[in-house]
Amino acid sequence: MLNYIWFFFFAVAFVTALCKSLFLGDLEIWSKLMNTTFESANRAFEICLGLTGVLTFWLGLMKIGEEAGLIARLSKMISPLFRRIFPSIPDGHPASGSIMMNVSANILGLDNAATPMGLKAMKELQELNKEKDTASDAMIMFLVLNTSGLTIIPISIMMYRAQYHAQSPSDIFIPLLLATFCSTLAGLVACCLKQRIRLWDKVLGTLLVGSVAFIAGVCMLFGSMTQEQITLYSTIFSNVILFSAIMAFLVSGLVKKVAIFESFVEGAKEGFKTVVTIIPYQIALFVAISLFRECGALTFITQGIGWVLSAVSLPTDFVPALPCAFLKPLNGAGARAMMLDVFETYGVDSFQGHVASCIQGATDTTMYILAVYFGSVGVKRFRYAASYGLFADFVGITAAILIGYIFFK
């Protein structure tokens, strides 16, 4: 599927440029597209280089955790749940611990920490995979949960809103929490139905009901706080959790008499190998998306949707935020650029600015994650991973728009 999507972006860029040069006399479009090709390729490579340090550090810590038995203990703790949604993963397998660490980092909005843990989990899932070039059910469930982007503390989005001098940078906290919860719930339920996992199971059912109750409790708690309190507590909570996780790895290594420095170095070496593996996938996808945006096709689609909605007398206030929605499943940097463009054009405290913020945090970069995670282990056949991941994205983005009308209109 990725082959067709990748070709589609290049084909659209070429056809759009051809039409502009022939019918509008815009001959400079070809230079713009070629410049975009070089610039985006370099940018993709720089992103990969930037990932090397974080990836190396966290994979080194994960190695300490493995040798100290911490990962195995974490896996045992969550085995009742993972036994239901990941029935092919044996009890106590390291993949369970890696998946839990990845999901936890995503929930806290710690993207840089989540990526190396996710790549580690994918490598361990590949060891259990019988068909090495085809995604297993466990891989797909993990990817869909990952791409649905459940985030309780959206620090980065609040930071960008603060940089643009929003009156209340954290006023999108509860709406975003609701939107991302809808996305994750949709992805989980869809995968369970596809893989014939019983949703009415006692453990899984309790989790779903408990999650709904927890989200409601978090909304009530933070809803009673001021903007300054939300920003303060969420930032402290995230950093304390992250540093505590680092100390847990190191302490467990010392207690179990593991040579923590040597183990760290051994695990960190895997970071370089992983980065080298994902560079081609990152460059290929980043260039294609950049061309799609630069040629004007994205703007054309957005304006077309606005015209259709206007023709049938439906609201069009949210349409300026749609470029963020289109790019979010494809490229996080592109979606973030679209969000900032909305801030600059309409204002960070405008309805469009609020909706763009909610869309940015409602889900994750599905196609990018699929390409990088599967590419890191050599999986070429994604099966239904892309369609189910995009379904979760659609639910999350739709929820973000509707919730935006409820909270900010």
Side-chain angles (χ1 to χ4, degrees), residues 251-331:
V251 170
S252 65
L254 289 176
V255 170
K256 294 296 182 178
K257 301 186 184 305
V258 174
I260 58 175
F261 188 79
E262 288 78 3
S263 297
F264 175 86
V265 172
E266 182 181 350
K269 292 178 181 178
E270 298 180 13
F272 293 96
K273 297 178 183 178
T274 303
V275 169
V276 171
T277 303
I278 68 176
I279 284 176
Y281 295 89
Q282 168 84 330
I283 292 176
L285 203 57
F286 203 89
V287 170
I289 294 170
S290 298
L291 288 174
F292 185 72
R293 177 187 173 192
E294 183 65 30
C295 73
L298 188 62
T299 302
F300 177 78
I301 293 173
T302 303
Q303 293 176 345
I305 292 176
W307 182 85
V308 171
L309 292 174
S310 179
V312 296
S313 301
L314 289 177
T316 59
D317 314 63
F318 68 94
V319 171
L322 283 182
C324 182
F326 292 145
L327 285 178
K328 183 58 182 179
L330 304 172
N331 182 272

Side-chain angles (χ1 to χ4, degrees), residues 126 129-136 377-382:
Q126 179 70 333
N129 189 13
K130 296 180 180 179
E131 299 182 46
K132 299 302 182 183
D133 66 337
T134 303
S136 64
V377 293
V379 170
K380 299 178 181 179
R381 297 179 58 196
F382 297 174

Side-chain angles (χ1 to χ4, degrees), residues 137-179:
D137 284 347
M139 286 180 168
I140 295 175
M141 175 66 80
F142 170 60
L143 262 295
V144 172
L145 290 178
N146 201 288
T147 61
S148 64
L150 178 61
T151 303
I152 292 180
I153 306 177
I155 293 177
S156 61
I157 297 177
M158 291 191 290
M159 177 191 69
Y160 283 116
R161 290 181 56 78
Q163 287 179 345
Y164 276 80
H165 308 292
Q167 293 182 357
S168 179
S170 58
D171 60 2
I172 49 87
F173 175 80
I174 293 178
L176 195 152
L177 181 62
L178 296 174

Side-chain angles (χ1 to χ4, degrees), residues 96-396:
S96 298
S98 299
I99 292 174
M100 189 198 72
M101 296 295 292
N102 169 265
V103 173
S104 299
N106 277 325
I107 286 175
L108 295 173
L110 305 171
D111 297 336
N112 289 337
T115 300
M117 295 173 184
L119 293 172
K120 180 71 172 178
M122 187 58 63
K123 180 180 179 181
E124 290 162 349
L125 288 174
Q126 179 70 333
E127 295 174 358
L128 299 172
N129 189 13
K130 296 180 180 179
E131 299 182 46
K132 299 302 182 183
D133 66 337
T134 303
S136 64
D137 284 347
M139 286 180 168
I140 295 175
M141 175 66 80
F142 170 60
L143 262 295
V144 172
L145 290 178
N146 201 288
T147 61
S148 64
L150 178 61
T151 303
I152 292 180
I153 306 177
I155 293 177
S156 61
I157 297 177
M158 291 191 290
M159 177 191 69
Y160 283 116
R161 290 181 56 78
Q163 287 179 345
Y164 276 80
H165 308 292
Q167 293 182 357
S168 179
S170 58
D171 60 2
I172 49 87
F173 175 80
I174 293 178
L176 195 152
L177 181 62
L178 296 174
T180 187
F181 178 72
C182 290
S183 174
T184 301
L185 183 63
L188 175 61
V189 172
C191 278
C192 285
L193 293 175
K194 175 67 174 180
Q195 299 179 11
R196 298 182 179 180
I197 297 173
R198 294 189 304 167
L199 289 170
W200 56 89
D201 177 88
K202 183 178 180 180
V203 174
L204 190 54
T206 301
L207 170 68
L208 295 177
V209 174
S211 298
V212 173
F214 175 74
I215 293 298
V218 171
C219 290
M220 293 177 60
L221 174 63
F222 282 93
S224 63
M225 294 183 181
T226 64
Q227 177 264 321
E228 291 79 9
Q229 289 176 322
I230 293 176
T231 302
L232 175 64
Y233 291 139
S234 61
T235 301
I236 293 175
F237 179 71
S238 297
N239 291 329
V240 168
I241 291 295
L242 183 58
F243 204 85
S244 296
I246 295 174
M247 289 304 301
F249 282 113
L250 297 178
V251 170
S252 65
L254 289 176
V255 170
K256 294 296 182 178
K257 301 186 184 305
V258 174
I260 58 175
F261 188 79
E262 288 78 3
S263 297
F264 175 86
V265 172
E266 182 181 350
K269 292 178 181 178
E270 298 180 13
F272 293 96
K273 297 178 183 178
T274 303
V275 169
V276 171
T277 303
I278 68 176
I279 284 176
Y281 295 89
Q282 168 84 330
I283 292 176
L285 203 57
F286 203 89
V287 170
I289 294 170
S290 298
L291 288 174
F292 185 72
R293 177 187 173 192
E294 183 65 30
C295 73
L298 188 62
T299 302
F300 177 78
I301 293 173
T302 303
Q303 293 176 345
I305 292 176
W307 182 85
V308 171
L309 292 174
S310 179
V312 296
S313 301
L314 289 177
T316 59
D317 314 63
F318 68 94
V319 171
L322 283 182
C324 182
F326 292 145
L327 285 178
K328 183 58 182 179
L330 304 172
N331 182 272
R336 183 167 56 251
M338 291 292 98
M339 178 185 71
L340 299 181
D341 183 66
V342 173
F343 289 174
E344 294 179 358
T345 305
Y346 296 90
V348 66
D349 288 319
S350 65
F351 171 73
Q352 293 81 2
H354 281 111
V355 171
S357 299
C358 290
I359 290 174
Q360 177 69 11
T363 184
D364 213 329
T365 51
T366 295
M367 298 310 299
Y368 167 77
I369 291 176
L370 290 176
V372 172
Y373 279 32
F374 281 138
S376 67
V377 293
V379 170
K380 299 178 181 179
R381 297 179 58 196
F382 297 174
R383 297 171 66 202
Y384 55 90
S387 58
Y388 277 57
L390 291 174
F391 167 72
D393 291 345
F394 175 78
V395 172

